[in-house]
Amino acid sequence: MEWLVVLIPTLPLVAAIVTASLGPRVLRSQSHLPVVIALALSLLCSLVLVVQVQRGYTENSDTGFEVPIQLWSWAVIEDAHVPEISGLTAAGKSLDEPITRPFRVDITLRADALTATMLAMVTFISTLVALFSVGYMHDDRGYWRFFTYLGLFVFSMTMLVSVSNFLLLFVFWEGVGVCSYLLIGFWYTRPSAAAAGKKAFLVNRVGDFGLIIAVFLIWTTYGTVNYHDVLHTPAGKVVVDSKTVQEAVSEKAAGMDPGSTLIRGVLGQSRIKTNDFVIGPDGELVVLAICLLFLLGACGKSAQFPLHIWLPDAMEGPTPVSALIHAATMVTAGVYLVVRCTPLFAACPTAQLTVACVGGFTALLAAVIALTQFDLKRVLAYSTISQLGYMFLALGTGTMAGITAGFFHLFTHAFFKALLFLGAGSVMHAMGDVIDMRKFGGLRHILPKTHLTFLCGCLALAGIPLFSGFWSKDQIVKAVKEKADQLEVSAVTLADLDAVASAPPEKQVFTIPPPWSASIYRWLHWSAMFTALLTAFYTFRAYYLTFWGRQYVPEEADHPHEPASMWRPLAVLSVCALAIGGVLEIYHQPAGYLQQTPSLSGESFIPKLDGEVALISSVIALAGVGIASVLYLGDRPFVGWLQAFFEFRWLSRVTRRAVYCSPYRLSSEKFYLDELYGCVVIWPLRTLANISGIVDRWLIDGLVNLIGWLPRFAGWMVRSLHKGLLQFYALGMVLGLLLLVLWMWWIR
């Protein structure tokens, strides 16, 4: 098993090096071969790893299953001092003296259920994207360069999900960001592509700054950056400080907010060697800060509000890049981070609620924007942002049902979103790089294979019953509803203290959620249902505008066609979009498999289909498809009327001017968020840079130049006195002597 974990990321790296070395002069049109072969072998190794992890868990199922693979030590400090946060141990002893403990950063990989699942998904989608790219990029001058970047991208992503400490996570987190910058700005001669690459790079640096601060906080709190020491609860019974808990319970019973979360286990893991367990508000603030900073990093990579603005512009890169980024690599990194750090978020209900709110708001906002976009790839981009919001909403519940539902949706979304983006790439390739849906239509007869496969992706994204998206989205809605119901009926009693004290190690986290959290989760549940309606509507709006209506193609399309290298990956993905969700649901996966991860292990959970939730979500999805069919199928008689209504054309001109923006314009202009960032962030920074440039050019450089100019001026003056005439020199001597005599007479 160890060699599999090492081999999976190594193969794409070696392929990238070979392609970069031999591609320009030797391989040329065959530059794809090393990368495609390497990705296929990595996929095979990933599938074998999934089976091996399952077999290992079957043999040792008490505490989950993981296999660390240590390669070498990166940094070792024998006498490192672990800073302690202020607080008390469970026995009431003050923590004043720092603990001396060796600090080391090992280059270590890990094989567990979460890693194996992510590796299988990443390598599967990457392999199909690489095969699709053979036909899509064959005429590009940077053919070898594209596959080099692709191999490096997959290497960075596979390493990100395989490492076993937070510091290495940050290293490859940055590696993924750099590779995405290279791929998004691949056509760097285009100003829009270069700007999109820079925008993605800079916006993600904001999230990355939060991530590195979180890593430093983990070190100062836990004295280590290893996953195992931070995320795994040590064996043994945690002694509950009953007095402190009773005080908090009394405050809650009196209608007061206790103001703190009583943390067991998570903070206690930093005291593995001393068996000390920290409680109190200081401990809560530390964990809350770590979780919120992790969330900031995840918002950057997974394009959550307010750091989502880079993802739609990333469409300027080649379409296979869009498919790879949106489906299985970069945007999934944020979701993976939150899932990996579940024990930390479980210790802080405020952080969990923040994750849920960010996800729910992002899902609704992106869905509203997608309603009015005409660029097919941008519709899919905002759809990705919305679906990622669904995943964060599920993870924000903090329950095993929500975590597994969010990861389930991540898994199914990878297949049908890759299908949709590659289908859009097929349309773009056939239409001469035109992607505006107003410039073509009726393509179902011109591109029949693309039409059928794209329809499968639309049905899955809309959540139509029996398609993959239906099963995972249903689990998310169910988990949020159950969380709201649980918070409404739950009450903390003194009897709960005994349950905490006697709980298994993985359950020794005692938290008191805010009293108003139930109402928020209830609103998030209804928001998710409304977002599902919008999703079905804008998905089939894009489908009808592209493949139905009057048949016409732009002038740029010389001869529309579907190369076999492009439609075959679409066929494979369409089968996955159709069946993989139902198959996993029948076998209670990936929930059962995911719980084999030690940090996620606990009480066994088996997801079950909720008939009421499934019926409501199905009706909502079909309603969205029906509305889109009425408006956009056929001659579209209602589209103009509907647009006029939402543009407030029914109001008088004076009244329309009084309205700042109509709903339609707000949606089509993306709520002016880019302009807002331009005014609030870009313009002040650019102004500051201009002022700094002026100060540097005229003040600092001016002073330096003045110092150099003065001697030059003095030399010029002296040089002008040398005329070469003796009478001129004699006159100068007389005048000088006269001035000297006058000066001596004056001072006498």
Side-chain angles (χ1 to χ4, degrees), residues 356 389-399 401-403 405-407 475-476 479-480:
Y390 262 112
M391 300 171 202
F392 275 82
L393 173 59
L395 299 180
T397 62
T399 62
I403 294 168
F407 193 83
Q475 292 294 337
I476 292 176
V480 178

Side-chain angles (χ1 to χ4, degrees), residues 27-43:
L27 296 176
R28 296 182 180 180
S29 62
Q30 303 300 317
S31 296
H32 63 276
L33 284 178
V35 176
V36 171
I37 295 173
L39 292 179
L41 293 176
S42 293
L43 171 60

Side-chain angles (χ1 to χ4, degrees), residues 279-461:
I279 63 175
D282 289 343
E284 180 194 7
L285 291 176
V286 171
V287 177
L288 178 61
I290 292 173
C291 292
L292 293 182
L293 289 169
F294 273 145
L295 176 61
L296 180 61
C299 286
K301 279 291 188 287
S302 294
Q304 297 296 286
F305 180 86
L307 301 181
H308 68 285
I309 58 174
W310 69 270
L311 192 58
D313 292 341
M315 301 302 98
E316 296 295 336
T319 300
V321 174
S322 303
L324 191 60
I325 290 177
H326 286 251
T329 52
M330 188 173 177
V331 297
T332 65
V335 180
Y336 166 80
L337 177 64
V338 177
V339 175
R340 176 65 74 186
C341 298
T342 293
L344 285 173
F345 286 90
C348 193
T350 304
Q352 287 182 347
L353 185 60
T354 304
V355 173
C357 290
V358 169
F361 180 78
T362 304
L364 181 59
L365 176 68
V368 172
I369 295 175
L371 295 175
T372 57
Q373 303 301 309
F374 286 98
D375 188 306
L376 180 57
K377 291 174 65 176
R378 285 188 178 269
V379 173
L380 299 178
Y382 281 105
S383 170
T384 299
I385 298 173
S386 181
Q387 298 305 305
L388 289 168
Y390 262 112
M391 300 171 202
F392 275 82
L393 173 59
L395 299 180
T397 62
T399 62
M400 186 55 64
I403 294 168
T404 55
F407 193 83
F408 187 18
H409 197 57
L410 175 71
F411 196 80
T412 58
H413 175 265
F415 296 99
F416 62 72
K417 186 52 58 75
L419 170 62
L420 290 172
F421 265 107
L422 294 183
S426 179
V427 171
M428 190 174 179
H429 182 268
M431 296 295 105
D433 291 338
V434 175
I435 200 64
D436 192 332
M437 293 183 290
R438 293 169 293 187
K439 296 182 179 180
F440 51 74
L443 302 183
R444 67 185 185 279
H445 299 300
I446 302 176
L447 306 172
K449 299 181 181 66
T450 303
H451 164 245
L452 292 177
T453 55
F454 195 90
L455 176 60
C456 290
C458 291
L459 293 171
L461 175 59

